Structure formats: structure tokens, C-alpha cells
Amino acid sequence: MDHAQLAALPKAELHLHIEGTLEPELAFTLARRNGITLPFASIEDLRSRYDYRNLQSFLDLYYALTDVLRTAEDFRDLTAAYLARAARDGVRHAEIFFDPQAHRRRGVPLAAVLEGLQAAVSASRDVSVYLIPCFLRDLGPDAAMETLGELLPFAGSFAAVGLDSAEVGYPPELFVDVFARARAEGLPAVAHAGEEGPPEYIRQALDLLRVRRVDHGVRCLDDPELVARLADEQIPLTVCPLSNVRLAVVPDLAAHPLPRMLDAGLAVTLNSDDPAYFGGYVGEVYARTAETFGLSAAEVHRLAETSVRASFLPPAARQRLLGA
Ligand code: ADE
Ligand code: ZN
């Protein structure tokens, strides 16, 4: 399939951190607008740092650059730029992660973040959007619970809650009370698990946090019993192949386990994670994955269809997209 055919496929993006769509050009523009001096000499200098050893070395840069996001207008411009880009890739629905704690700790109130995100969402013509605030697992369960308390007055604005940031050493079991409270308040759960962390973290996300989807989940392949369960229950996995390459989860795209995941009957979706940092928005993810693995048109259609089915959209809306 060529780019135009791939872009014509209606798809949902289910694993996208809005902070991870901050392109270097916009980062410099916002820094200027907010009177911030970035610790990078130029856009080229910044781009030269986009070479990560692992998840943590990426997160260090990601959180540092996030500092240019100060006002509702900044979050609006960031989100509007992503939605315009996503629409060109045939994204018809996006479930967008954001990190409230990464902003609050810099003194940016949740209300400003939400005002900006929602302004862009309301103006979006071609892409419907659900928002998913994520807890930063490395800040621990007490901070997550406090953040949940701040989020709850806005609960109607969110499709779910999520869990992200540094994985190893911060197992899902730490957050069982936080996710139980979110669930009691009517918020379903998703969680990053099995990106760098072991299969046990995926089991905990399922059994203790009761997640409806697993973000990444690629390390399930280390545990055949878990693979069988994920396939049997058709738990969606939001897989991000370009992210996995850039964060050294796999040595290169050809070594990515996507074909094995498909062969195992897993409910795989393709996503971009942090496209400004990993070298490709979701259209590029589909194109490079299809090319690398020689996926058939039917297989690519299936991936796009699974993304719509795995969304939190109500069944009638999913059906409308699938029939489009
Ligand atoms: N936050 C942004 N991108 C992330 C990723 N790939 N894993 C965990 N936390 C993240
Ligand atoms: Zn992610």
C-alpha cells in the first residue's frame, strides 16, 4: 500500500503523549514567547540529542523540553499542531495522554493545561479526541493519589486514566489503590507495561489495575502463558514500533516482534508514542512497519480496524468509523 492508501484508512491513535509531539521548531517558538532560554544552542543542536540509550535517557530530554509549555495557549497550539498532522494520516479518533504531574511540578496548574487541550479539541473538525491523564509512576502512589484528587472534578473530561514514565522498579501493584479509586469514580484504566519491564508488570496491570488496554506490552512475548491469555481475552496492545527502536527495546525495526505478535493472534494496534522524538507520526509508523514486514493490505486494514475497535468510543461511533 502506498502512503495515500494508508492515509485513506480510517484509524484511531491510542498511544500518543501530547508532550511527545513537541517539535523542536515549536519548542523554540514557545521558549521565545515565554522568555525562556533553552539549554540548546539551536534547533540542530537540540535534534542532535535525539539519540537515546533507553527510556530514561529519552525521558530526561522530554521532561526538560516540556518546560517551554507554560500557558493554556501553549497547550492549545501544541495540540492543534498534532491534530492537523494526525488528520493528514487518516486518524479519525485520538486518545491523547498527558502528564498533569509534569506540569504541576513546574507550577503550571491543571486548569491551564486542560483549557489549552480542550480549546484545540473543540476546534478539531476531522479528528475526535478523548483525553487520558497519566500518573508518573516514578513519583509514586501518594503523588498519584493526590493528582487523582485534583483530576476528579474534571472526570467528565477524561476517557480513562493511565500510567507512564520510568517503568522498571515501579510495578503496577504500587498503584492498586489509585486505580481502584479511579474505577470507583467511573474512570477505566490503561497502563504502560512490558515496554522495558517484565511480563509480571503486564499481569499486574491486568489483575490489579484492571486495565482495558496495555500500552506497549511487547515483553509479553517472554511469557507464552501470558501471550495465550492476552490473545484469548483480546486485550488490546498499543504497540509503538518506532519508539521501541529509538528506545533500544529492539535493535532495529526488522527485529521488532510485531509479526510474532500478529501470528499469536494478539489484538495489536500501531501507534506513534512520542512522534516528535522518535522520527515518525502514525502514518509513518504504518508505512515503515508495512514495508519492513511486507504486510498485506488485509493485514494493514486489520491493524487500522483493531485500533478503532480498541478505542473507548461507544459502539455506534466505532461502527460509523469502520463503515466510513
Ligand atoms: N512518557 C512518554 N513516552 C513514554 C514512554 N514511551 N514510556 C513511558 N513513559 C512515557
Ligand atoms: Zn507511551
Side-chain angles (χ1 to χ4, degrees), residues 63 99-105 134-147 163-166 170 174-175:
Y63 291 129
D99 290 330
Q101 290 160 286
H103 308 304
R104 185 176 181 273
R105 69 183 171 193
C134 291
F135 304 111
L136 301 187
R137 59 210 308 159
D138 43 334
L139 297 188
D142 292 346
M145 190 64 99
E146 194 186 331
T147 303
L163 187 65
D164 68 0
S165 201
Y170 305 98
L174 295 175
F175 299 89

Side-chain angles (χ1 to χ4, degrees), residues 17 55 58-59 62 164-165 192 195 216 243 247 273-274:
H17 301 263
L55 174 58
F58 153 69
L59 289 172
Y62 164 92
D164 68 0
S165 201
H192 284 53
E195 179 183 17
H216 293 294
S243 162
L247 300 187
D273 205 3
D274 300 286

Side-chain angles (χ1 to χ4, degrees), residues 12-16 93-97 130 132 159-161 188-193 205-206 210-216 230 234-238 267 269 271 306-313:
E13 176 141 59
L14 306 178
H15 188 155
L16 181 281
H93 176 69
E95 303 195 345
I96 296 183
F97 295 139
Y130 286 170
I132 302 181
V161 289
V190 297
H192 284 53
L206 293 169
R210 312 236 201 125
V211 296
R212 303 262 291 267
R213 297 194 297 250
V214 174
D215 296 313
H216 293 294
L230 291 166
Q234 285 295 286
I235 306 288
L237 306 178
T238 63
T269 67
N271 305 273
T306 304
S307 72
V308 173
R309 290 195 194 287
S311 75
F312 286 112
L313 283 170

